[in-house]
C-alpha cells in the first residue's frame, strides 16, 4: 500500500520568501488611544523592505527584455537594495556589481559580499561614517554609471525605476489593507527612493480616500516639506537626502512629520527593550513619526496608524 503524506508548504527558493510579512501591534510603546501597527519588513530574506523593490525591478526588466537571463546587473545602493538584488542574483544566476558610499554601515557590505555581489566603495566627500549625505550618494552613483557603461550591464536605477513603486502597489499596500481588515486610519513612513511610500500610499488611497498619508523626514533635511536643508548629514541612512525623490508624488501626501536623530535613537532602544524588535534607525524614526502623529491631533484619536519596520538592527554598528 502506497504511503500517504499530508500537504506540504515548501518554497522553491529564497525569492518566494519575499513579501507577506507579518504585522505587529506596538501596544507597549503606544497603549492608546488609537493603535500603531508595524509591517515587519526586516523578515524578508535580504533583511529589509528593499527585497520587494529588487524583485519588482528585476522581474520588470526581464519581462521587457532590458535584462537578459544570466545578464550582468549594476546598481548604486545604500545597502538594503543591494542585499535584495544579491538574493535574487544568487538564485537566478546574474553577475551583480554594486557601488556604495564608504560611509554606510560595514554590516551591509558584509552581507552583500557574502551573497556573491562584487562591491565597490566610493569615498565620502561630505558626510562621516554612519551619516551619508546626498553628495556622498552621488559619488557612488557616478561610480555605478561608469561600471555599467564598461560592462554593458542592466542598470537598475532604483530612484527612477517605476517598477520600484509598482512592487509596493501590488504587494505591500494590499497586504496592509488585508491584514488590518481595511481599518487603516493613517500611514506614515520616511522616504528614500520613495518607492515604498508612494506605492503603499497610492494603493491605500485607492481603497479609501479617507486614509491619511504622511511623509517622515529627518529634522533639518525636510525637502518634501519645502524647507531649506540645514542638516544634510544625519543618522537615517537611506532616507532624507535633502531632495524630493523622482518617484515621490505629492498627491499621495497629506502632511509631513519631522524626526530628530535623538528621537530615532530613543525609539530604536524602546522597540528593542519593550517590544523585542531590534530594528534600524529609519524603522525607529518611522515609529517615532507614528507616535508624534497620534499626539498631534492630525488624525482621529482612535486611528490605526500603520508604519514600516524597514530593516533589522543587525545591519548597523552600535
Amino acid at each position: 500500500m502506497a504511503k500517504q503524506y499530508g500537504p506540504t508548504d515548501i518554497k522553491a527558493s529564497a525569492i518566494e520568501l519575499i513579501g507577506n510579512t507579518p504585522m505587529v501591534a506596538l501596544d507597549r510603546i503606544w497603549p492608546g488611544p488609537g493603535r500603531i501597527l508595524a509591517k515587519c519588513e526586516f523578515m524578508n530574506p535580504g533583511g529589509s523592505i528593499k527585497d520587494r523593490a529588487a524583485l519588482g525591478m528585476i522581474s520588470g526588466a526581464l519581462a521587457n527584455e532590458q535584462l537578459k537571463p544570466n545578464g550582468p546587473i549594476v546598481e548604486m545602493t545604500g545597502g538594503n537594495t543591494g542585499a535584495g538584488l544579491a538574493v535574487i542574483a544568487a538564485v537566478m544566476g546574474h553577475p551583480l556589481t554594486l557601488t556604495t558610499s564608504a560611509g554606510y554601515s560595514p554590516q551591509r557590505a558584509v552581507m552583500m559580499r557574502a551573497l556573491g555581489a562584487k562591491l565597490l566603495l566610493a569615498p565620502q566627500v561630505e558626510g562621516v561614517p554612519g551619516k551619508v549625505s546626498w553628495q556622498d550618494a552621488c559619488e557612488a552613483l557616478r561610480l555605478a554609471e561608469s561600471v555599467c557603461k564598461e560592462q554593458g550591464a542592466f542598470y537598475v536605477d532604483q530612484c527612477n525605476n517605476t517598477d520600484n513603486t509598482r512592487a509596493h502597489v501590488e504587494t505591500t499596500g494590499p497586504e496592509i489593507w488585508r491584514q488590518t481588515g481595511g481599518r487603516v486610519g493613517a500611514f506614515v513612513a520616511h522616504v528614500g527612493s520613495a518607492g515604498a511610500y508612494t506605492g503603499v500610499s497610492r494603493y491605500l488611497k485607492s481603497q479609501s480616500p479617507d486614509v491619511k498619508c504622511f511623509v517622515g523626514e529627518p529634522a533639518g533635511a525636510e525637502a518634501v516639506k519645502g524647507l531649506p536643508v540645514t542638516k544634510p548629514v544625519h543618522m537615517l541612512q537611506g532616507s532624507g537626502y535633502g531632495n524630493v525623490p523622482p518617484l515621490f508624488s505629492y498627491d499621495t501626501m497629506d502632511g509631513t512629520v519631522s524626526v530628530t536623530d535623538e528621537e530615532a535613537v530613543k525609539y530604536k532602544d524602546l522597540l528593542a527593550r519593550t517590544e523585542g524588535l531590534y530594528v534600524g534607525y529609519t524603522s525607529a524614526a518611522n515609529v517615532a513619526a507614528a507616535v508624534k502623529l497620534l499626539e498631534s491631533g492630525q488624525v482621529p484619536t482612535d486611528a490605526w496608524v500603520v508604519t514600516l519596520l524597514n530593516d533589522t538592527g543587525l545591519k548597523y554598528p552600535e
Side-chain angles (χ1 to χ4, degrees), residues 25 75 116-117 165 202 213 225:
E75 178 63 333
T165 303
R202 186 164 290 153
C213 297
K225 191 175 181 179

Side-chain angles (χ1 to χ4, degrees), residues 30 36 257-260 263 267 285 287-298:
W30 184 264
I36 297 174
V257 183
S258 301
V259 177
T260 66
E263 288 168 330
Y267 279 92
V287 174
V291 170
K292 295 177 84 168
L293 195 56
L294 281 162
E295 289 176 338
S296 71
Q298 295 181 77

Side-chain angles (χ1 to χ4, degrees), residues 186-206:
F187 171 68
V188 61
H190 284 68
V191 297
S193 68
Y197 173 83
T198 302
V200 170
S201 297
R202 186 164 290 153
Y203 179 83
L204 294 177
K205 285 182 172 293
S206 75

Side-chain angles (χ1 to χ4, degrees), residues 58 67 71-77 85 95-99 118 120 140-141 143-158:
I58 295 304
L67 173 64
I73 299 170
V74 171
E75 178 63 333
M76 182 278 287
T77 179
L85 289 169
L96 174 65
T97 302
L98 301 168
T99 69
K118 179 180 180 181
L120 304 176
L141 177 60
L143 180 57
E145 290 172 342
S146 174
V147 172
C148 189
K149 191 173 182 179
E150 288 173 11
Q151 294 185 2
F154 168 65
Y155 181 49
V156 178
D157 195 14
Q158 61 174 308

Side-chain angles (χ1 to χ4, degrees), residues 278-289:
Y278 185 53
V279 297
Y281 291 102
T282 305
S283 302
N286 281 346
V287 174

Side-chain angles (χ1 to χ4, degrees), residues 177 182 184-187 201 204-205 207-213 252 254:
W177 191 255
V184 183
F187 171 68
S201 297
L204 294 177
K205 285 182 172 293
Q207 298 304 297
S208 170
D210 294 330
V211 177
K212 303 299 181 185
C213 297
T252 63
D254 294 287

